[in-house]
Amino acid sequence: MERKLITIDLDGTTLNKQGVISPKTKYVLQKASQQGHIVSIVTGRPYRISKNIYDQLGINSPMINFNGALGHIPHQKWDKEYELTFDKKIALDLLNNKKELGIKIIAAEGKNMSLTDVFNQKIDDFFPVASKTNEVLNKLNLKQDPAAITMLVEKTELPNIVTALNKGYGQQINIGVWGGPNPILELSPKNVNKAHGVKYLANAFNIDRKNIIAFGDEHNDVAMIDYAGWGVVMQNGTKQLKAIANDITPLDNDHDGLAHYLEDYLKLAE
């Protein structure tokens, strides 16, 4: 079998409902890697809350964070590492106008940056916690352009905020709305998505598009699933994503759906 680039989303795909990698999933992904395939995490998560999963998998391939804005190999230097950003003035503008816009919390992040305007308060696993003065988002501490901005907003104001963001910064950023119970908006560099990261990896390792197999479950996986030569959507995935999939896993993420599918696809059990 030709070498494959296997790109895996984390939440709702590789991880079960408890946010954990099962022994079965770990075994299959490691076996695929040992057979010469490239297994790469491609996630919207920041590096700070995905590096532990990367380490648990025990792989040494590149990882994509921030929905395509960051590509790197954890714990080592990679001459092809990249980080795409947008103007930090956007973060400062939003910070100065957060009350007027209906923004509750705002966080600006990069590979080695994690700043938020809420001090010492646990909100959500995806929001950094400012436990020291130098971790608070302000004009003094924001010294570099961010790869992502995440905001918890007033639910009733979400459509108005999206409209305002598009009007003010639409030429510089993408605006994403998270699934789940909380009204959360995510900003990323314009025209950057998971497909950008996957294409970059494929080029870096000289892998044809037809040899890319991608796994996902949510709206931020659309570009990746569409770009991959073989896009596989989890049984628990959204209807929108299933509509463009090449295939759907028979089992969901809580029953090792990715692992069983990949094991059959690569004939790892033989």
Side-chain angles (χ1 to χ4, degrees):
M1 178 178 286
E2 292 182 274
R3 191 185 199 192
K4 304 292 184 182
L5 171 60
I6 303 162
T7 62
I8 54 173
D9 170 57
L10 288 181
D11 298 281
T13 302
T14 305
L15 307 181
N16 61 23
K17 291 178 182 177
Q18 286 71 47
V20 174
I21 298 176
S22 73
K24 172 72 174 181
T25 298
K26 180 177 179 179
Y27 169 78
V28 170
L29 291 174
Q30 286 187 341
K31 192 169 183 180
S33 180
Q34 290 164 5
Q35 289 195 357
H37 304 295
I38 298 169
V39 178
S40 286
I41 293 171
V42 180
T43 179
R45 285 187 179 218
Y47 176 46
R48 63 182 170 82
I49 55 171
S50 53
K51 59 184 175 182
N52 62 319
I53 300 168
Y54 180 92
D55 291 341
Q56 288 172 37
L57 279 179
I59 56 178
N60 59 4
S61 53
M63 176 164 66
I64 303 295
N65 291 102
F66 299 122
N67 289 319
L70 171 65
H72 61 121
I73 301 179
H75 314 305
Q76 61 179 282
K77 290 184 178 179
W78 185 38
D79 60 358
K80 295 181 176 62
E81 178 173 322
Y82 73 88
E83 184 169 15
L84 304 173
T85 61
F86 51 92
D87 197 331
K88 64 182 180 180
K89 291 180 181 179
I90 295 176
L92 297 176
D93 284 350
L94 295 174
L95 188 63
N96 291 334
N97 296 287
K98 60 176 289 191
K99 187 174 181 181
E100 177 186 345
L101 288 169
I103 300 171
K104 292 182 177 181
I105 307 168
I106 180 171
E109 300 203 59
K111 180 183 179 182
N112 299 309
M113 177 182 71
S114 181
L115 302 171
T116 185
D117 65 327
V118 175
F119 184 76
N120 202 26
Q121 184 178 351
K122 177 70 172 177
I123 303 297
D124 185 281
D125 287 340
F126 287 86
F127 279 96
V129 178
S131 57
K132 300 176 183 177
T133 304
N134 63 2
E135 293 172 345
V136 176
L137 176 61
N138 55 39
K139 185 176 182 179
L140 180 64
N141 291 336
L142 186 60
K143 298 176 181 179
Q144 63 188 67
D145 292 338
I149 291 177
T150 309
M151 299 180 292
L152 178 67
V153 304
E154 296 284 356
K155 192 171 186 177
T156 55
E157 293 299 317
L158 190 148
N160 294 332
I161 297 172
V162 171
T163 298
L165 290 171
N166 273 317
K167 183 177 180 180
Y169 316 107
Q171 293 185 340
Q172 301 177 63
I173 58 171
N174 299 324
I175 304 166
V177 181
W178 282 12
N182 296 317
I184 296 175
L185 293 175
E186 182 178 55
L187 310 184
S188 59
K190 190 69 175 179
N191 297 323
V192 173
N193 52 40
K194 287 189 176 184
H196 179 277
V198 172
K199 184 177 181 179
Y200 189 90
L201 294 179
N203 289 337
F205 290 96
N206 197 28
I207 293 177
D208 289 340
R209 185 174 176 179
K210 65 182 177 65
N211 286 321
I212 302 171
I213 175 171
F215 291 86
D217 75 302
E218 263 285 359
H219 65 277
N220 65 331
D221 297 314
V222 169
M224 176 174 72
I225 294 296
D226 188 49
Y227 178 78
W230 194 253
V232 183
V233 175
M234 302 300 294
Q235 182 63 231
N236 50 283
T238 65
K239 290 182 179 179
Q240 176 194 16
L241 202 60
K242 287 179 178 179
I244 64 169
N246 293 108
D247 207 355
I248 299 169
T249 63
L251 302 175
D252 65 17
N253 67 311
D254 220 29
H255 295 88
D256 297 319
L258 182 155
H260 285 290
Y261 189 96
L262 190 59
E263 191 171 47
D264 291 340
Y265 185 87
L266 297 178
K267 298 179 173 56
L268 296 177
E270 294 181 356

